[in-house]
Short mmCIF file of all heavy atoms in Angstrom, two decimals:
data_model
loop_
_atom_site.label_atom_id
_atom_site.label_comp_id
_atom_site.label_asym_id
_atom_site.label_seq_id
_atom_site.Cartn_x
_atom_site.Cartn_y
_atom_site.Cartn_z
N MET A 1 -11.57 -13.55 16.59
CA MET A 1 -11.43 -13.76 15.15
C MET A 1 -9.96 -13.91 14.79
O MET A 1 -9.13 -13.13 15.22
CB MET A 1 -12.03 -12.58 14.40
CG MET A 1 -12.53 -13.02 13.03
SD MET A 1 -12.84 -11.68 11.89
CE MET A 1 -13.92 -10.61 12.79
N ALA A 2 -9.68 -14.91 14.03
CA ALA A 2 -8.28 -15.15 13.65
C ALA A 2 -7.81 -14.05 12.70
O ALA A 2 -8.54 -13.63 11.81
CB ALA A 2 -8.13 -16.49 12.99
N LYS A 3 -6.61 -13.62 12.90
CA LYS A 3 -6.04 -12.60 12.03
C LYS A 3 -4.96 -13.21 11.17
O LYS A 3 -4.11 -13.94 11.66
CB LYS A 3 -5.45 -11.47 12.87
CG LYS A 3 -6.28 -10.22 12.75
CD LYS A 3 -5.49 -9.00 13.12
CE LYS A 3 -6.09 -7.79 12.43
NZ LYS A 3 -5.58 -6.54 12.92
N PHE A 4 -5.03 -12.95 9.90
CA PHE A 4 -3.94 -13.39 9.04
C PHE A 4 -3.44 -12.18 8.28
O PHE A 4 -4.11 -11.16 8.21
CB PHE A 4 -4.43 -14.49 8.09
CG PHE A 4 -5.31 -13.98 6.98
CD1 PHE A 4 -4.83 -13.96 5.68
CD2 PHE A 4 -6.59 -13.55 7.24
CE1 PHE A 4 -5.66 -13.48 4.65
CE2 PHE A 4 -7.41 -13.09 6.21
CZ PHE A 4 -6.94 -13.06 4.92
N ASP A 5 -2.26 -12.30 7.76
CA ASP A 5 -1.70 -11.18 7.03
C ASP A 5 -2.22 -11.19 5.61
O ASP A 5 -1.77 -11.93 4.75
CB ASP A 5 -0.17 -11.24 7.04
CG ASP A 5 0.44 -10.00 6.39
OD1 ASP A 5 -0.33 -9.12 5.94
OD2 ASP A 5 1.66 -9.92 6.33
N PHE A 6 -3.21 -10.34 5.41
CA PHE A 6 -3.85 -10.20 4.11
C PHE A 6 -2.84 -9.91 3.01
O PHE A 6 -3.02 -10.29 1.85
CB PHE A 6 -4.85 -9.06 4.24
CG PHE A 6 -5.65 -8.80 3.00
CD1 PHE A 6 -6.64 -9.68 2.62
CD2 PHE A 6 -5.43 -7.66 2.24
CE1 PHE A 6 -7.41 -9.44 1.48
CE2 PHE A 6 -6.19 -7.41 1.10
CZ PHE A 6 -7.18 -8.30 0.72
N TRP A 7 -1.77 -9.23 3.38
CA TRP A 7 -0.82 -8.75 2.40
C TRP A 7 0.36 -9.69 2.20
O TRP A 7 1.25 -9.41 1.41
CB TRP A 7 -0.31 -7.36 2.81
CG TRP A 7 -1.42 -6.37 2.80
CD1 TRP A 7 -2.17 -5.97 3.88
CD2 TRP A 7 -1.96 -5.68 1.67
NE1 TRP A 7 -3.12 -5.08 3.46
CE2 TRP A 7 -3.01 -4.88 2.12
CE3 TRP A 7 -1.64 -5.67 0.31
CZ2 TRP A 7 -3.75 -4.08 1.27
CZ3 TRP A 7 -2.37 -4.88 -0.53
CH2 TRP A 7 -3.42 -4.09 -0.05
N GLU A 8 0.34 -10.83 2.91
CA GLU A 8 1.44 -11.78 2.76
C GLU A 8 1.49 -12.26 1.31
O GLU A 8 0.47 -12.69 0.76
CB GLU A 8 1.21 -12.96 3.71
CG GLU A 8 2.38 -13.92 3.78
CD GLU A 8 3.62 -13.28 4.39
OE1 GLU A 8 3.48 -12.64 5.45
OE2 GLU A 8 4.69 -13.40 3.80
N GLY A 9 2.65 -12.17 0.71
CA GLY A 9 2.80 -12.64 -0.65
C GLY A 9 2.27 -11.69 -1.70
O GLY A 9 2.20 -12.04 -2.88
N ALA A 10 1.91 -10.48 -1.28
CA ALA A 10 1.40 -9.51 -2.25
C ALA A 10 2.49 -9.14 -3.25
O ALA A 10 3.67 -9.09 -2.91
CB ALA A 10 0.91 -8.26 -1.53
N GLU A 11 2.05 -8.89 -4.46
CA GLU A 11 2.98 -8.37 -5.47
C GLU A 11 3.08 -6.87 -5.28
O GLU A 11 2.08 -6.18 -5.10
CB GLU A 11 2.44 -8.64 -6.87
CG GLU A 11 2.90 -9.94 -7.46
CD GLU A 11 2.48 -10.05 -8.92
OE1 GLU A 11 2.68 -9.10 -9.68
OE2 GLU A 11 1.92 -11.10 -9.25
N THR A 12 4.28 -6.37 -5.34
CA THR A 12 4.45 -4.93 -5.19
C THR A 12 5.07 -4.33 -6.44
O THR A 12 5.79 -4.99 -7.18
CB THR A 12 5.35 -4.60 -3.99
OG1 THR A 12 6.62 -5.22 -4.16
CG2 THR A 12 4.72 -5.08 -2.70
N ARG A 13 4.77 -3.08 -6.64
CA ARG A 13 5.31 -2.35 -7.77
C ARG A 13 5.69 -0.96 -7.28
O ARG A 13 4.96 -0.35 -6.51
CB ARG A 13 4.23 -2.23 -8.85
CG ARG A 13 4.71 -1.77 -10.18
CD ARG A 13 3.76 -2.27 -11.27
NE ARG A 13 2.43 -1.69 -11.16
CZ ARG A 13 2.08 -0.50 -11.69
NH1 ARG A 13 2.96 0.20 -12.35
NH2 ARG A 13 0.86 -0.06 -11.55
N ALA A 14 6.84 -0.51 -7.70
CA ALA A 14 7.28 0.83 -7.29
C ALA A 14 6.68 1.86 -8.23
O ALA A 14 6.73 1.71 -9.45
CB ALA A 14 8.80 0.91 -7.32
N ILE A 15 6.07 2.88 -7.65
CA ILE A 15 5.55 4.00 -8.42
C ILE A 15 6.56 5.13 -8.34
O ILE A 15 6.94 5.56 -7.24
CB ILE A 15 4.19 4.46 -7.85
CG1 ILE A 15 3.16 3.33 -7.91
CG2 ILE A 15 3.68 5.69 -8.59
CD1 ILE A 15 2.83 2.85 -9.30
N GLN A 16 7.00 5.58 -9.49
CA GLN A 16 7.97 6.67 -9.52
C GLN A 16 7.26 8.01 -9.32
O GLN A 16 6.06 8.13 -9.63
CB GLN A 16 8.70 6.68 -10.88
CG GLN A 16 9.41 5.37 -11.21
CD GLN A 16 10.40 4.97 -10.12
OE1 GLN A 16 11.10 5.82 -9.56
NE2 GLN A 16 10.46 3.69 -9.81
N PRO A 17 7.99 8.99 -8.83
CA PRO A 17 7.35 10.30 -8.58
C PRO A 17 6.58 10.83 -9.78
O PRO A 17 5.46 11.35 -9.62
CB PRO A 17 8.55 11.20 -8.25
CG PRO A 17 9.54 10.27 -7.63
CD PRO A 17 9.38 8.96 -8.36
N TYR A 18 7.11 10.69 -10.98
CA TYR A 18 6.40 11.23 -12.14
C TYR A 18 5.12 10.45 -12.47
O TYR A 18 4.26 10.94 -13.20
CB TYR A 18 7.32 11.28 -13.36
CG TYR A 18 7.62 9.93 -13.99
CD1 TYR A 18 6.77 9.41 -14.98
CD2 TYR A 18 8.71 9.17 -13.59
CE1 TYR A 18 7.03 8.18 -15.55
CE2 TYR A 18 8.98 7.95 -14.15
CZ TYR A 18 8.14 7.45 -15.13
OH TYR A 18 8.39 6.23 -15.69
N GLN A 19 5.00 9.23 -11.92
CA GLN A 19 3.79 8.43 -12.15
C GLN A 19 2.72 8.72 -11.11
O GLN A 19 1.58 8.29 -11.26
CB GLN A 19 4.13 6.94 -12.09
CG GLN A 19 5.10 6.51 -13.18
CD GLN A 19 5.54 5.05 -12.99
OE1 GLN A 19 6.09 4.69 -11.95
NE2 GLN A 19 5.29 4.24 -13.99
N ALA A 20 3.09 9.39 -10.05
CA ALA A 20 2.15 9.63 -8.95
C ALA A 20 1.40 10.92 -9.23
O ALA A 20 1.71 11.98 -8.71
CB ALA A 20 2.92 9.72 -7.63
N ASN A 21 0.39 10.82 -10.09
CA ASN A 21 -0.35 12.01 -10.48
C ASN A 21 -1.73 12.08 -9.83
O ASN A 21 -2.62 12.76 -10.29
CB ASN A 21 -0.46 12.10 -12.01
CG ASN A 21 -0.95 10.80 -12.61
OD1 ASN A 21 -1.55 9.99 -11.91
ND2 ASN A 21 -0.70 10.58 -13.88
N LYS A 22 -1.90 11.35 -8.76
CA LYS A 22 -3.14 11.36 -7.99
C LYS A 22 -2.77 11.32 -6.52
O LYS A 22 -1.69 10.86 -6.17
CB LYS A 22 -3.98 10.11 -8.28
CG LYS A 22 -5.12 10.31 -9.23
CD LYS A 22 -5.91 9.02 -9.36
CE LYS A 22 -6.76 8.75 -8.13
NZ LYS A 22 -7.58 7.53 -8.29
N VAL A 23 -3.70 11.74 -5.67
CA VAL A 23 -3.52 11.57 -4.23
C VAL A 23 -4.13 10.23 -3.84
O VAL A 23 -5.25 9.92 -4.25
CB VAL A 23 -4.20 12.72 -3.45
CG1 VAL A 23 -4.10 12.48 -1.95
CG2 VAL A 23 -3.58 14.05 -3.82
N TYR A 24 -3.40 9.45 -3.08
CA TYR A 24 -3.90 8.15 -2.63
C TYR A 24 -3.95 8.14 -1.11
O TYR A 24 -3.22 8.88 -0.45
CB TYR A 24 -2.98 7.03 -3.10
CG TYR A 24 -2.88 6.92 -4.60
CD1 TYR A 24 -1.79 7.45 -5.28
CD2 TYR A 24 -3.88 6.29 -5.32
CE1 TYR A 24 -1.70 7.35 -6.65
CE2 TYR A 24 -3.80 6.19 -6.70
CZ TYR A 24 -2.71 6.73 -7.36
OH TYR A 24 -2.62 6.64 -8.72
N LEU A 25 -4.78 7.25 -0.57
CA LEU A 25 -4.82 7.09 0.88
C LEU A 25 -4.04 5.83 1.24
O LEU A 25 -4.34 4.74 0.76
CB LEU A 25 -6.27 6.97 1.35
CG LEU A 25 -6.44 6.90 2.86
CD1 LEU A 25 -6.07 8.24 3.50
CD2 LEU A 25 -7.87 6.54 3.23
N CYS A 26 -3.06 5.99 2.08
CA CYS A 26 -2.23 4.86 2.49
C CYS A 26 -2.93 4.09 3.60
O CYS A 26 -3.29 4.67 4.63
CB CYS A 26 -0.89 5.39 2.97
SG CYS A 26 0.13 4.16 3.79
N PRO A 27 -3.16 2.78 3.42
CA PRO A 27 -3.85 2.00 4.46
C PRO A 27 -2.97 1.74 5.68
O PRO A 27 -3.47 1.31 6.72
CB PRO A 27 -4.21 0.69 3.74
CG PRO A 27 -3.22 0.59 2.63
CD PRO A 27 -2.84 1.99 2.24
N GLY A 28 -1.69 1.99 5.55
CA GLY A 28 -0.80 1.76 6.69
C GLY A 28 -0.96 2.82 7.76
O GLY A 28 -0.94 2.50 8.95
N CYS A 29 -1.11 4.06 7.34
CA CYS A 29 -1.18 5.16 8.31
C CYS A 29 -2.45 5.98 8.15
O CYS A 29 -2.66 6.92 8.92
CB CYS A 29 0.05 6.06 8.14
SG CYS A 29 0.15 6.84 6.52
N ASN A 30 -3.30 5.63 7.18
CA ASN A 30 -4.53 6.37 6.92
C ASN A 30 -4.27 7.84 6.63
O ASN A 30 -5.07 8.71 6.98
CB ASN A 30 -5.51 6.22 8.08
CG ASN A 30 -6.16 4.85 8.06
OD1 ASN A 30 -6.59 4.37 7.02
ND2 ASN A 30 -6.20 4.20 9.20
N ARG A 31 -3.16 8.10 5.99
CA ARG A 31 -2.86 9.47 5.57
C ARG A 31 -2.64 9.49 4.07
O ARG A 31 -2.41 8.46 3.44
CB ARG A 31 -1.63 9.98 6.31
CG ARG A 31 -1.91 10.20 7.79
CD ARG A 31 -0.66 10.39 8.58
NE ARG A 31 0.02 11.63 8.22
CZ ARG A 31 1.17 12.01 8.76
NH1 ARG A 31 1.78 11.24 9.64
NH2 ARG A 31 1.73 13.14 8.41
N ASP A 32 -2.71 10.69 3.51
CA ASP A 32 -2.57 10.83 2.07
C ASP A 32 -1.14 10.58 1.60
O ASP A 32 -0.18 10.89 2.30
CB ASP A 32 -2.94 12.25 1.64
CG ASP A 32 -4.44 12.50 1.73
OD1 ASP A 32 -5.19 11.51 1.82
OD2 ASP A 32 -4.83 13.67 1.71
N ILE A 33 -1.05 10.04 0.41
CA ILE A 33 0.20 10.03 -0.33
C ILE A 33 0.07 11.15 -1.36
O ILE A 33 -0.75 11.05 -2.27
CB ILE A 33 0.43 8.68 -1.04
CG1 ILE A 33 0.42 7.53 -0.03
CG2 ILE A 33 1.73 8.71 -1.84
CD1 ILE A 33 0.41 6.15 -0.69
N PRO A 34 0.82 12.20 -1.21
CA PRO A 34 0.61 13.35 -2.11
C PRO A 34 1.09 13.06 -3.52
O PRO A 34 1.88 12.15 -3.77
CB PRO A 34 1.47 14.45 -1.46
CG PRO A 34 2.46 13.76 -0.62
CD PRO A 34 1.86 12.44 -0.21
N LYS A 35 0.57 13.83 -4.45
CA LYS A 35 1.03 13.74 -5.83
C LYS A 35 2.54 13.97 -5.89
O LYS A 35 3.07 14.79 -5.16
CB LYS A 35 0.37 14.83 -6.68
CG LYS A 35 -1.09 14.63 -6.93
CD LYS A 35 -1.60 15.75 -7.85
CE LYS A 35 -3.12 15.74 -7.90
NZ LYS A 35 -3.64 16.84 -8.70
N GLY A 36 3.19 13.23 -6.77
CA GLY A 36 4.61 13.46 -6.99
C GLY A 36 5.51 12.76 -6.00
O GLY A 36 6.73 12.96 -6.04
N LEU A 37 4.94 11.95 -5.12
CA LEU A 37 5.76 11.21 -4.17
C LEU A 37 5.84 9.74 -4.61
O LEU A 37 4.82 9.08 -4.79
CB LEU A 37 5.14 11.29 -2.76
CG LEU A 37 5.95 10.58 -1.67
CD1 LEU A 37 7.24 11.33 -1.38
CD2 LEU A 37 5.14 10.45 -0.39
N GLY A 38 7.05 9.27 -4.79
CA GLY A 38 7.24 7.86 -5.13
C GLY A 38 6.73 6.97 -4.01
O GLY A 38 6.90 7.30 -2.84
N HIS A 39 6.10 5.87 -4.35
CA HIS A 39 5.53 4.98 -3.33
C HIS A 39 5.40 3.57 -3.87
O HIS A 39 5.98 3.24 -4.91
CB HIS A 39 4.20 5.55 -2.82
CG HIS A 39 3.14 5.70 -3.87
ND1 HIS A 39 3.01 6.82 -4.67
CD2 HIS A 39 2.17 4.85 -4.28
CE1 HIS A 39 2.00 6.66 -5.51
NE2 HIS A 39 1.47 5.47 -5.29
N ILE A 40 4.62 2.75 -3.18
CA ILE A 40 4.50 1.33 -3.52
C ILE A 40 3.03 1.00 -3.80
O ILE A 40 2.15 1.45 -3.07
CB ILE A 40 4.95 0.47 -2.30
CG1 ILE A 40 6.45 0.68 -2.00
CG2 ILE A 40 4.64 -1.01 -2.50
CD1 ILE A 40 7.36 0.03 -2.99
N VAL A 41 2.81 0.20 -4.83
CA VAL A 41 1.48 -0.39 -5.02
C VAL A 41 1.59 -1.86 -4.67
O VAL A 41 2.50 -2.55 -5.14
CB VAL A 41 0.99 -0.25 -6.48
CG1 VAL A 41 -0.29 -1.05 -6.69
CG2 VAL A 41 0.73 1.20 -6.81
N ALA A 42 0.68 -2.34 -3.83
CA ALA A 42 0.68 -3.75 -3.44
C ALA A 42 -0.63 -4.39 -3.90
O ALA A 42 -1.70 -3.81 -3.74
CB ALA A 42 0.81 -3.87 -1.92
N VAL A 43 -0.49 -5.59 -4.47
CA VAL A 43 -1.65 -6.33 -4.96
C VAL A 43 -1.74 -7.65 -4.21
O VAL A 43 -0.90 -8.52 -4.37
CB VAL A 43 -1.52 -6.61 -6.47
CG1 VAL A 43 -2.78 -7.31 -6.98
CG2 VAL A 43 -1.26 -5.34 -7.25
N PRO A 44 -2.76 -7.80 -3.35
CA PRO A 44 -2.89 -9.06 -2.61
C PRO A 44 -3.15 -10.21 -3.58
O PRO A 44 -3.93 -10.04 -4.52
CB PRO A 44 -4.10 -8.85 -1.71
CG PRO A 44 -4.51 -7.43 -1.87
CD PRO A 44 -3.83 -6.86 -3.06
N PRO A 45 -2.52 -11.34 -3.37
CA PRO A 45 -2.63 -12.44 -4.33
C PRO A 45 -4.05 -12.96 -4.51
O PRO A 45 -4.41 -13.42 -5.58
CB PRO A 45 -1.71 -13.52 -3.76
CG PRO A 45 -1.46 -13.13 -2.35
CD PRO A 45 -1.63 -11.64 -2.26
N ASP A 46 -4.87 -12.87 -3.48
CA ASP A 46 -6.23 -13.42 -3.56
C ASP A 46 -7.29 -12.38 -3.88
O ASP A 46 -8.48 -12.69 -3.90
CB ASP A 46 -6.61 -14.10 -2.24
CG ASP A 46 -5.68 -15.26 -1.94
OD1 ASP A 46 -5.23 -15.91 -2.91
OD2 ASP A 46 -5.39 -15.50 -0.76
N ALA A 47 -6.86 -11.15 -4.05
CA ALA A 47 -7.85 -10.09 -4.24
C ALA A 47 -7.23 -8.96 -5.05
O ALA A 47 -6.94 -7.89 -4.52
CB ALA A 47 -8.34 -9.58 -2.89
N VAL A 48 -7.06 -9.21 -6.35
CA VAL A 48 -6.37 -8.22 -7.16
C VAL A 48 -7.14 -6.91 -7.27
O VAL A 48 -6.57 -5.87 -7.60
CB VAL A 48 -6.05 -8.76 -8.57
CG1 VAL A 48 -5.04 -9.89 -8.49
CG2 VAL A 48 -7.31 -9.21 -9.27
N ASP A 49 -8.45 -6.95 -6.97
CA ASP A 49 -9.23 -5.72 -6.98
C ASP A 49 -8.86 -4.80 -5.82
O ASP A 49 -9.22 -3.63 -5.84
CB ASP A 49 -10.73 -6.02 -6.85
CG ASP A 49 -11.27 -6.72 -8.07
OD1 ASP A 49 -10.55 -6.79 -9.09
OD2 ASP A 49 -12.41 -7.21 -8.01
N LEU A 50 -8.24 -5.36 -4.83
CA LEU A 50 -7.99 -4.61 -3.61
C LEU A 50 -6.57 -4.07 -3.54
O LEU A 50 -6.01 -3.90 -2.47
CB LEU A 50 -8.27 -5.48 -2.38
CG LEU A 50 -9.73 -5.91 -2.25
CD1 LEU A 50 -9.91 -6.75 -1.00
CD2 LEU A 50 -10.65 -4.72 -2.22
N ARG A 51 -5.98 -3.80 -4.69
CA ARG A 51 -4.64 -3.24 -4.63
C ARG A 51 -4.68 -1.86 -4.01
O ARG A 51 -5.65 -1.11 -4.16
CB ARG A 51 -4.01 -3.19 -6.02
CG ARG A 51 -4.68 -2.20 -6.93
CD ARG A 51 -4.11 -2.31 -8.31
NE ARG A 51 -4.51 -1.11 -9.06
CZ ARG A 51 -3.73 -0.50 -9.94
NH1 ARG A 51 -2.54 -0.99 -10.20
NH2 ARG A 51 -4.15 0.57 -10.55
N ARG A 52 -3.65 -1.56 -3.27
CA ARG A 52 -3.61 -0.30 -2.53
C ARG A 52 -2.26 0.37 -2.70
O ARG A 52 -1.26 -0.30 -2.93
CB ARG A 52 -3.85 -0.56 -1.04
CG ARG A 52 -5.17 -1.24 -0.75
CD ARG A 52 -6.38 -0.41 -1.12
NE ARG A 52 -6.63 0.63 -0.14
CZ ARG A 52 -7.34 0.44 0.95
NH1 ARG A 52 -7.87 -0.71 1.21
NH2 ARG A 52 -7.53 1.43 1.79
N HIS A 53 -2.29 1.66 -2.54
CA HIS A 53 -1.06 2.44 -2.60
C HIS A 53 -0.57 2.70 -1.19
O HIS A 53 -1.35 3.12 -0.33
CB HIS A 53 -1.31 3.76 -3.33
CG HIS A 53 -1.70 3.57 -4.77
ND1 HIS A 53 -0.88 3.94 -5.81
CD2 HIS A 53 -2.81 3.04 -5.33
CE1 HIS A 53 -1.48 3.64 -6.97
NE2 HIS A 53 -2.66 3.10 -6.69
N TRP A 54 0.68 2.46 -0.96
CA TRP A 54 1.28 2.59 0.37
C TRP A 54 2.48 3.52 0.31
O TRP A 54 3.22 3.51 -0.69
CB TRP A 54 1.83 1.23 0.84
CG TRP A 54 0.84 0.15 1.10
CD1 TRP A 54 0.08 -0.52 0.17
CD2 TRP A 54 0.52 -0.44 2.36
NE1 TRP A 54 -0.68 -1.48 0.78
CE2 TRP A 54 -0.43 -1.45 2.13
CE3 TRP A 54 0.98 -0.20 3.67
CZ2 TRP A 54 -0.95 -2.23 3.16
CZ3 TRP A 54 0.46 -0.97 4.69
CH2 TRP A 54 -0.50 -1.97 4.44
N HIS A 55 2.70 4.25 1.39
CA HIS A 55 4.01 4.88 1.55
C HIS A 55 5.05 3.77 1.61
O HIS A 55 4.79 2.71 2.18
CB HIS A 55 4.09 5.68 2.86
CG HIS A 55 3.19 6.88 2.92
ND1 HIS A 55 2.11 6.94 3.76
CD2 HIS A 55 3.24 8.05 2.25
CE1 HIS A 55 1.51 8.12 3.61
NE2 HIS A 55 2.17 8.81 2.70
N ARG A 56 6.21 4.04 1.08
CA ARG A 56 7.26 3.04 1.12
C ARG A 56 7.55 2.57 2.56
O ARG A 56 7.65 1.38 2.83
CB ARG A 56 8.54 3.63 0.54
CG ARG A 56 9.23 2.76 -0.46
CD ARG A 56 10.48 3.43 -0.94
NE ARG A 56 10.22 4.47 -1.93
CZ ARG A 56 10.22 4.22 -3.25
NH1 ARG A 56 10.46 3.03 -3.68
NH2 ARG A 56 9.98 5.19 -4.11
N GLY A 57 7.66 3.53 3.47
CA GLY A 57 7.97 3.18 4.85
C GLY A 57 6.84 2.40 5.53
O GLY A 57 7.10 1.48 6.31
N CYS A 58 5.61 2.77 5.21
CA CYS A 58 4.47 2.06 5.80
C CYS A 58 4.43 0.62 5.31
O CYS A 58 4.10 -0.30 6.07
CB CYS A 58 3.17 2.78 5.46
SG CYS A 58 3.04 4.41 6.19
N TRP A 59 4.71 0.44 4.04
CA TRP A 59 4.72 -0.93 3.52
C TRP A 59 5.77 -1.76 4.24
O TRP A 59 5.52 -2.88 4.67
CB TRP A 59 4.96 -0.92 2.01
CG TRP A 59 5.05 -2.30 1.46
CD1 TRP A 59 6.19 -2.94 1.06
CD2 TRP A 59 3.98 -3.24 1.29
NE1 TRP A 59 5.88 -4.22 0.65
CE2 TRP A 59 4.54 -4.42 0.78
CE3 TRP A 59 2.60 -3.17 1.53
CZ2 TRP A 59 3.76 -5.54 0.50
CZ3 TRP A 59 1.83 -4.29 1.24
CH2 TRP A 59 2.41 -5.46 0.73
N ASN A 60 6.95 -1.21 4.36
CA ASN A 60 8.03 -1.96 4.99
C ASN A 60 7.76 -2.25 6.46
O ASN A 60 8.25 -3.23 7.01
CB ASN A 60 9.36 -1.20 4.86
CG ASN A 60 9.82 -1.17 3.41
OD1 ASN A 60 9.54 -2.07 2.63
ND2 ASN A 60 10.53 -0.11 3.05
N ASN A 61 6.97 -1.40 7.10
CA ASN A 61 6.71 -1.56 8.54
C ASN A 61 5.33 -2.11 8.83
O ASN A 61 4.87 -2.05 9.96
CB ASN A 61 6.84 -0.21 9.24
CG ASN A 61 8.28 0.22 9.31
OD1 ASN A 61 9.17 -0.60 9.54
ND2 ASN A 61 8.53 1.49 9.10
N ARG A 62 4.65 -2.65 7.84
CA ARG A 62 3.24 -2.99 8.04
C ARG A 62 3.04 -4.06 9.09
O ARG A 62 1.99 -4.13 9.72
CB ARG A 62 2.59 -3.40 6.73
CG ARG A 62 3.05 -4.73 6.20
CD ARG A 62 2.56 -4.95 4.79
NE ARG A 62 2.91 -6.28 4.33
CZ ARG A 62 4.14 -6.63 3.95
NH1 ARG A 62 5.11 -5.73 3.95
NH2 ARG A 62 4.40 -7.85 3.57
N LYS A 63 4.05 -4.92 9.30
CA LYS A 63 3.89 -5.97 10.31
C LYS A 63 3.94 -5.40 11.72
O LYS A 63 3.39 -5.98 12.65
CB LYS A 63 4.97 -7.03 10.13
CG LYS A 63 4.83 -7.69 8.77
CD LYS A 63 5.00 -9.18 8.81
CE LYS A 63 4.49 -9.80 7.53
NZ LYS A 63 5.34 -10.85 7.01
N ASN A 64 4.61 -4.27 11.87
CA ASN A 64 4.67 -3.63 13.17
C ASN A 64 3.43 -2.79 13.44
O ASN A 64 3.06 -2.57 14.57
CB ASN A 64 5.91 -2.73 13.27
CG ASN A 64 7.17 -3.53 13.05
OD1 ASN A 64 7.24 -4.72 13.42
ND2 ASN A 64 8.16 -2.92 12.45
N ARG A 65 2.84 -2.29 12.38
CA ARG A 65 1.67 -1.45 12.53
C ARG A 65 0.64 -1.87 11.50
O ARG A 65 0.54 -1.29 10.44
CB ARG A 65 2.06 0.02 12.32
CG ARG A 65 0.97 0.95 12.78
CD ARG A 65 1.46 2.34 12.94
NE ARG A 65 1.90 2.89 11.64
CZ ARG A 65 2.25 4.16 11.46
NH1 ARG A 65 2.28 4.98 12.45
NH2 ARG A 65 2.60 4.58 10.28
N PRO A 66 -0.13 -2.93 11.78
CA PRO A 66 -1.04 -3.47 10.78
C PRO A 66 -2.12 -2.47 10.41
O PRO A 66 -2.51 -1.64 11.22
CB PRO A 66 -1.64 -4.71 11.47
CG PRO A 66 -1.38 -4.53 12.91
CD PRO A 66 -0.20 -3.62 13.05
N PRO A 67 -2.62 -2.56 9.18
CA PRO A 67 -3.68 -1.64 8.75
C PRO A 67 -4.95 -1.84 9.54
O PRO A 67 -5.27 -2.96 9.96
CB PRO A 67 -3.89 -2.01 7.28
CG PRO A 67 -3.24 -3.31 7.07
CD PRO A 67 -2.22 -3.48 8.15
N LYS A 68 -5.67 -0.78 9.75
CA LYS A 68 -6.94 -0.86 10.46
C LYS A 68 -8.02 -1.36 9.51
O LYS A 68 -8.03 -1.00 8.35
CB LYS A 68 -7.31 0.51 11.01
CG LYS A 68 -6.30 1.00 12.02
CD LYS A 68 -6.84 2.20 12.78
CE LYS A 68 -5.94 2.50 13.94
NZ LYS A 68 -5.05 3.63 13.68
N GLY A 69 -8.97 -2.07 10.03
CA GLY A 69 -10.07 -2.56 9.20
C GLY A 69 -9.62 -3.73 8.37
O GLY A 69 -10.06 -3.91 7.29
ZN1 LIG B 101 1.46 5.57 5.08
#
């Protein structure tokens, strides 16, 4: 199966610590992003429903460690 970068061209938005009032699951490492931690929201251009919250480092390194699934 051909693999393409689903996240190529995604719009990103920085979430400030005070805006992080929920726990999110980061698709980069499959670990939680705790409340109060600044992070990144990415919105794939072809699937705005599938926006995900990422650790900043995971987002920046996603090409080295692609998300599972
Ligand atoms: Zn992560």
Side-chain angles (χ1 to χ4, degrees):
M1 208 196 307
K3 251 201 155 168
F4 73 109
D5 185 0
F6 182 72
W7 296 96
E8 188 66 48
E11 269 188 48
T12 59
R13 193 155 64 86
I15 300 297
Q16 302 304 321
Y18 74 88
Q19 297 174 302
N21 49 21
K22 259 184 75 177
V23 176
Y24 299 100
L25 185 69
C26 169
C29 62
N30 285 315
R31 291 166 67 182
D32 288 344
I33 302 170
K35 290 183 191 177
L37 182 70
H39 61 273
I40 295 287
V41 171
V43 183
D46 298 327
V48 294
D49 292 349
L50 296 181
R51 68 186 195 143
R52 301 296 283 274
H53 295 249
W54 294 69
H55 294 112
R56 227 182 281 268
C58 294
W59 177 255
N60 291 331
N61 288 321
R62 71 190 185 284
K63 298 223 165 138
N64 301 327
R65 193 165 64 173
K68 297 193 169 101

